[in-house]
């Protein structure tokens, strides 16, 4: 093979290798917003570039939802190591109990945390937010697992609670009705006595 052809082949291989490397990095970037349907089997959610250092800058959002009736989303922390900062204003992972950024917070972490923590939503959906600022320390990021499950609060338990409230409300209503009827009866009796006494006084005066 001639030197010129060898140089061209080397250049093409090098360019192809570079494209593949760039493509791998771009593929690791987390989505601006991604919708995920949870399954019964634990699935993985990681910072961009994991298990290597996470990519800067990053602003990622995952919306996770259960597709079963009375379903919830459960989470487990496998690894967590972000750059720490006061009030986690630089790099952070934020998990919300619902479909909105301002839904109640389940977890708001930065820095280094031990693995094994579990938590869950109260409803069918969760919003996961990850931010990494442009410049900062190199850290491996996070690895959490998520899956769907039936809500621990069973529907029949909710129904019993509702029926109990209904029964108590009915009893209270009956008692209140009896009191009102009794008061009305006493008022009527008093008016009848007053009318009778006035009538008797009138008879005495004119007899």
């Amino acid at each position: 093979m001639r030197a010129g052809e060898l140089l061209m082949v080397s250049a093409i291989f090098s360019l192809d290798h570079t494209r593949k490397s760039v493509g791998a990095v771009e593929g690791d970037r987390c989505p601006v917003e991604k919708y995920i349907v949870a399954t019964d089997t634990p699935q993985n959610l990681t910072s961009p570039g994991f298990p290597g250092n996470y990519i800067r800058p990053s602003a990622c959002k995952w919306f996770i939802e259960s597709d079963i009736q009375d379903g919830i989303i459960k989470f487990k922390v496998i690894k967590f190591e972000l750059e720490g900062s006061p009030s986690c204003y630089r790099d952070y992972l934020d998990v919300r109990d619902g479909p909105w950024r301002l839904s109640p917070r389940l977890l708001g972490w930065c820095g280094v945390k031990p693995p094994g923590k579990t938590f869950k939503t109260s409803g069918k959906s969760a919003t996961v937010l990850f931010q990494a600022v442009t410049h900062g320390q190199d850290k491996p990021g996070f690895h959490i697992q998520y899956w769907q499950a039936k809500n621990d609060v069973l529907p029949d338990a909710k129904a019993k609670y509702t029926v109990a409230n209904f029964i108590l409300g009915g009893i209270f209503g009956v008692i209140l009705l009896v009191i009102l009827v009794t008061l009305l009866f006493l008022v009527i009796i008093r008016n009848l006595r007053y009318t009778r006494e006035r009538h008797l006084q009138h008879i005495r005066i004119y007899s």
Side-chain angles (χ1 to χ4, degrees):
M1 182 179 291
R2 297 178 181 176
E5 292 177 348
L6 182 62
L7 182 60
M8 182 177 294
V9 170
S10 298
I12 292 173
F13 176 79
S14 177
L15 179 60
D16 183 63
H17 178 73
T18 302
R19 285 175 178 171
K20 287 182 180 178
S21 299
V22 171
V25 172
E26 289 177 351
D28 287 336
R29 291 189 179 277
C30 57
V32 175
E33 187 167 345
K34 184 176 182 179
Y35 175 80
I36 302 173
V37 177
T39 65
D40 298 337
T41 304
Q43 301 175 69
N44 297 309
L45 191 65
T46 61
S47 51
F50 187 88
N53 297 327
Y54 54 83
I55 298 171
R56 296 179 179 277
S58 289
C60 322
K61 181 179 180 181
W62 297 271
F63 175 73
I64 306 173
E65 186 173 32
S66 169
D67 64 352
I68 60 176
Q69 186 176 6
D70 298 319
I72 59 172
I73 307 298
K74 290 188 174 184
F75 295 91
K76 182 178 182 180
V77 177
I78 307 300
K79 182 179 179 63
F80 194 94
E81 187 175 349
L82 305 183
E83 178 183 348
S85 61
S87 302
C88 297
Y89 75 94
R90 288 174 56 80
D91 301 353
Y92 63 80
L93 179 70
D94 199 11
V95 183
R96 297 285 176 161
D97 186 9
W100 313 111
R101 181 180 289 269
L102 297 179
S103 297
R105 176 177 287 157
L106 291 173
L107 180 142
W109 274 4
C110 63
V112 180
K113 303 294 181 182
K117 178 179 174 61
T118 59
F119 53 99
K120 61 185 179 180
T121 62
S122 61
K124 296 186 65 173
S125 61
T127 303
V128 181
L129 307 165
F130 172 65
Q131 172 184 288
V133 296
T134 303
H135 301 290
Q137 303 171 10
D138 290 334
K139 296 291 182 179
F142 67 86
H143 174 198
I144 61 176
Q145 291 183 331
Y146 64 92
W147 64 96
Q148 68 178 1
K150 276 282 190 177
N151 199 333
D152 294 336
V153 181
L154 299 177
D156 59 344
K158 292 181 179 179
K160 289 178 182 178
Y161 178 76
T162 304
V163 170
N165 280 350
F166 178 76
I167 292 173
L168 290 175
I171 293 173
F172 178 77
V174 170
I175 293 173
L176 182 62
L177 181 61
V178 169
I179 293 173
L180 291 175
V181 170
T182 302
L183 291 175
L184 181 61
F185 179 76
L186 292 176
V187 169
I188 292 173
I189 295 297
R190 182 180 178 182
N191 288 337
L192 289 175
R193 287 180 179 177
Y194 178 77
T195 303
R196 184 170 179 273
E197 290 176 358
R198 289 293 301 271
H199 181 68
L200 292 174
Q201 289 178 359
H202 183 76
I203 293 174
R204 292 193 189 100
I205 292 172
Y206 292 98
S207 61

